Amino acid sequence: MEAEAERPLKLYFIPYLAAGHMIPLCDIAQFFASRGQHVTIITTPFNAQTLHQSKNFHVQTFQFPSQEVGLPEGVENLSTATDLQTSNRIYMATTLLRQPMESFVEQHPPDCIVADFLYPWVHDLALKLRIPRLVFNGFSLFTICAMEAVKTHGIGASLPFLIPDFPHHVTMNAAPPEDVRRFIESLLTVALKSDGFIINNFAELDGEEYLRHYERTTGHKAWHLGPASLVRSTCLEKAERGLKSVVSVEECVSWLDSKRVNSVVYICFGSICYFPDKQLYEIASAIEASGHEFIWVVPEKKGKENESEEEKENWLPKGFEERGMIIKGWAPQVVILGHPSVGAFLTHCGWNSTVEAVTAGVPMITWPVHSDQFYNEKLITRVRGIGVEVGAEEWTFCGFYECGKVVGRDRIEEAVRRVMDGGDEAQQIRRRAKEFAETARQAVGEGGSSYNNLTALIHHLKTLTL
Ligand SMILES: O=c1ccn([C@@H]2O[C@H](COP(=O)(O)OP(=O)(O)O[C@H]3O[C@H](CO)[C@@H](O)[C@H](O)[C@H]3O)[C@@H](O)[C@H]2O)c(=O)[nH]1
């Protein structure tokens, strides 16, 4: 029995096919692998290629049903979609993957299964196999608490609303469309039947008060194991997170090396948000007016056939490109954020981007677009004081939702100035951001909060299964 307890856990990880979900869950899988556990990541061939950098876990692939859903070969990740139809087809494909994945797991059962909350079917599978199941959805615990509170109290349809029973007074000015809210709430209900949530954050950023609040109001367990982006140690490895970068790390670093400390605004809206030209033009005009240099990641546009160069770039004010670096496609975000010349991050508040900025000690200019991002913004600005808001109050553009609203240049410019122009407020925000970065680093080091949580979780799973 003693020897059995020493046996590594056999763990299956099933990440959702979107960069914002895959990157952190695969990083977290590596945390387990680095502690001697036997890890298998279950995914599709194209997504498996993005995992080449590590040898300490196994990958089990299943053919992506491209033909069945009418997609070209190689489009297997939500982050490679640039229109709603493609996104819907990828979602459809993930439902078709259930059957082959399920039968593989049944034939080769693990000790525990860790799956994205967008795969609620794993609940029944784990019950059938009598194995523990952990859930990952890539959200902060703060956001999960907020969503739970909104669900329990049946609020959120009319605005503004105060999140009920919360340790802080947090007023929300944005609500999801009713059908999306119901969908997320149904997934959360299934997630709460699991053996616990895995959170890509460190406990100090969500705060003890939210951990206690969560456990008290739900009776469910949450394990802070992040920041996931700290799993790897060298820049070159970090450059390969997610999709392939269209610029080299060297090019980004040498451009940033030529700039002053804290002088550059980094702009990126994650992997599934794409703005129309008129919104890009407002951003460009605001940055131009602020006078700051920038690195701006713009999703690669497919462009219509016969579109002239001028038509393709009609969102750029004249001469604008000269004062910064525009990256069309995928950028080495973690490397950029980690460079001392970067003084602020204009972000959509996707949770990965948020926690990566915190880890780098970079203040945020917050512009939520959809999903959990509006809650993340409140944690950053109102609760932890490490960013300022642009003032976006509505769901706008992303892979599964579109509306025609545009945020005007004046609001963007004002927020950029508040963080970049070095006044008292900016200095305090920067100081707090640096303190959280230090805490993040300590959390994943030996004896830190996330490190200890992982030790406790592995022990807990062993007592349940071995
Ligand atoms: O050019 C790029 C663009 C993105 N990234 C990385 O891609 C990830 C993007 O994740 P995130 O910032 O969370 O944004 P989304 O891709 O929008 O993530 C989705 O998933 C997140 C986790 O569930 C949610 O918080 C978001 O709202 C949801 O949109 C991050 O690790 C980035 O570092 C790059 O490396 N290079």
Side-chain angles (χ1 to χ4, degrees):
M1 225 32 216
E2 189 65 17
E4 184 71 344
E6 290 310 312
R7 168 171 87 74
L9 289 164
K10 180 177 170 187
L11 301 162
Y12 287 174
F13 289 79
I14 316 183
Y16 193 67
L17 307 183
H21 293 236
M22 271 206 82
I23 294 172
L25 188 54
C26 293
D27 283 346
I28 284 169
Q30 288 195 62
F31 276 139
F32 282 88
S34 69
R35 301 284 285 276
Q37 309 311 308
H38 191 284
V39 165
T40 300
I41 294 173
I42 297 177
T43 188
T44 68
F46 171 83
N47 288 294
Q49 282 171 28
T50 67
L51 303 173
H52 63 87
Q53 66 275 49
S54 181
K55 307 257 183 297
N56 61 353
F57 57 78
H58 301 265
V59 182
Q60 178 68 40
T61 59
F62 292 92
Q63 207 53 44
F64 187 85
S66 306
Q67 275 186 356
E68 290 87 328
V69 297
L71 283 173
E73 296 291 314
V75 181
E76 300 183 3
N77 187 302
L78 219 49
S79 309
T80 54
T82 50
D83 59 74
L84 276 178
Q85 196 189 38
T86 307
S87 299
N88 287 337
R89 288 178 179 188
I90 291 173
Y91 179 73
M92 213 191 309
T94 62
T95 64
L96 297 179
L97 281 164
R98 169 182 178 168
Q99 195 276 325
M101 287 182 177
E102 208 166 36
S103 54
F104 169 80
V105 177
E106 278 192 49
Q107 281 161 31
H108 312 274
D111 296 316
C112 171
I113 191 159
V114 186
D116 197 289
F117 90 144
L118 284 159
Y119 296 127
W121 51 268
V122 174
H123 170 68
D124 291 336
L125 178 62
L127 276 184
K128 189 171 168 190
L129 297 173
R130 296 169 185 256
I131 54 172
R133 171 181 73 111
L134 298 169
V135 175
F136 179 76
N137 66 2
F139 297 169
S140 63
L141 189 67
F142 176 87
T143 286
I144 295 173
C145 287
M147 287 177 167
E148 269 304 310
V150 166
K151 180 170 76 140
T152 308
H153 291 263
I155 54 162
S158 58
L159 294 168
F161 65 87
L162 188 71
I163 302 176
D165 299 339
F166 241 38
H168 292 83
H169 271 247
V170 181
T171 309
M172 300 300 297
N173 295 315
E178 206 38 37
D179 53 340
V180 178
R181 182 162 73 91
R182 274 201 301 270
F183 177 62
I184 294 180
E185 288 184 354
S186 70
L187 293 171
L188 281 176
T189 302
V190 182
L192 281 182
K193 294 178 186 158
S194 71
D195 296 276
F197 253 122
I198 286 186
I199 308 291
N200 172 23
N201 196 9
F202 51 110
E204 293 86 344
L205 183 60
D206 267 322
E208 255 317 295
E209 66 271 45
Y210 286 93
L211 191 55
R212 280 200 303 275
H213 175 86
Y214 182 72
E215 290 177 351
R216 182 174 54 77
T217 55
T218 64
H220 193 236
K221 184 84 185 129
W223 304 85
H224 283 91
L225 302 183
S229 60
L230 287 177
V231 74
R232 298 188 191 103
S233 51
T234 73
C235 282
L236 272 179
E237 284 168 338
K238 280 182 190 155
E240 297 302 323
R241 297 181 87 231
L243 308 181
K244 186 90 194 139
S245 296
V246 295
V247 283
S248 70
V249 169
E250 291 74 15
E251 193 182 337
C252 288
V253 169
S254 88
W255 187 84
L256 283 165
D257 280 346
S258 69
K259 308 297 168 196
R260 282 177 297 111
V261 170
N262 294 337
S263 68
V264 173
V265 182
Y266 173 58
I267 309 163
C268 181
F269 291 85
S271 69
I272 58 169
C273 164
Y274 44 87
F275 286 138
D277 286 356
K278 56 187 175 188
Q279 182 64 82
L280 298 179
Y281 190 79
E282 293 301 307
I283 297 172
S285 305
I287 300 296
E288 173 105 317
S290 79
H292 291 290
E293 294 181 294
F294 62 88
I295 292 186
W296 185 4
V297 185
V298 185
E300 188 191 10
K301 283 180 47 171
K302 293 290 169 240
K304 290 180 239 108
E305 272 179 43
N306 305 325
E307 198 176 37
S308 71
E309 277 312 306
E310 203 176 319
E311 278 173 320
K312 278 184 192 154
E313 307 302 357
N314 61 7
W315 48 274
L316 279 179
K318 269 211 159 18
F320 176 68
E321 265 178 296
E322 284 149 31
R323 259 222 336 277
M325 184 187 255
I326 294 180
I327 300 174
K328 290 180 192 145
W330 200 253
Q333 172 159 306
V334 171
V335 175
I336 294 171
L337 281 171
H339 195 286
S341 298
V342 173
F345 181 16
L346 176 56
T347 173
H348 72 314
C349 308
W351 184 247
N352 300 293
S353 292
T354 302
V355 88
E356 287 160 13
V358 171
T359 303
V362 175
M364 281 166 269
I365 301 156
T366 60
W367 179 343
V369 176
H370 63 89
S371 307
D372 56 326
Q373 296 156 16
F374 291 92
Y375 293 117
N376 298 339
E377 172 182 66
K378 300 300 174 210
L379 176 65
I380 298 161
T381 58
R382 306 292 167 96
V383 178
R384 299 292 170 230
I386 50 176
V388 303
E389 299 172 11
V390 157
E393 295 186 342
E394 271 179 282
W395 279 48
T396 44
F397 306 93
C398 73
F400 56 93
Y401 186 76
E402 269 178 29
C403 96
K405 288 278 166 55
V406 163
V407 175
R409 69 187 76 172
D410 293 348
R411 279 151 70 183
I412 307 167
E413 183 193 340
E414 192 202 329
V416 170
R417 286 189 185 283
R418 277 176 64 193
V419 177
M420 291 294 285
D421 286 359
D424 283 353
E425 182 193 23
Q427 283 179 31
Q428 282 176 28
I429 288 174
R430 200 170 295 288
R431 180 185 48 76
R432 283 191 290 266
K434 298 282 177 222
E435 285 168 6
F436 273 113
E438 183 49 37
T439 312
R441 222 165 298 281
Q442 286 169 7
V444 293
E446 204 167 331
S449 59
S450 293
Y451 184 96
N452 288 345
N453 282 340
L454 182 56
T455 308
L457 176 54
I458 290 170
H459 177 74
H460 175 66
L461 292 174
K462 284 190 172 179
T463 58
L464 287 181
T465 62
L466 298 185

